[in-house]
Amino acid sequence: ELPFVFDRFWNGTTAEAGTGLGLAIVKGIVEAHRGRVEVASEVGAGTTFSFSIAETPPETGAVSDSNLIELAH
């Protein structure tokens, strides 16, 4: 199921409620800011979602891997 978590209207096989839009919206917003969102999951250990958003230097406007802000929970 992990490959589908960012698909619109997908809410898993065990979901009882929800529209399946939340993670699709998150992915859209993050990518609109030149970032990326990732998920890692291990049965019995839990799931981690992380994302990074480009920090654009005002003087150049260039984005590189060296100026990404990493956030994870």
Side-chain angles (χ1 to χ4, degrees):
E1 295 182 355
L2 201 56
F4 306 107
V5 298
F6 297 107
D7 291 354
R8 285 184 297 166
F9 303 112
W10 186 85
N11 59 8
T13 57
T14 60
E16 295 181 18
T19 61
L21 291 173
L23 290 174
I25 292 170
V26 167
K27 184 178 180 193
I29 291 170
V30 169
E31 289 179 350
H33 290 276
R34 294 172 287 164
R36 60 182 173 253
V37 61
E38 300 170 346
V39 60
S41 186
E42 186 177 332
V43 176
T47 302
T48 300
F49 289 87
S50 59
F51 67 95
S52 58
I53 298 175
E55 178 182 331
T56 306
E59 62 276 359
T60 66
V63 177
S64 69
D65 284 341
S66 65
N67 57 0
L68 288 177
I69 302 168
E70 294 287 338
L71 301 171
H73 176 41

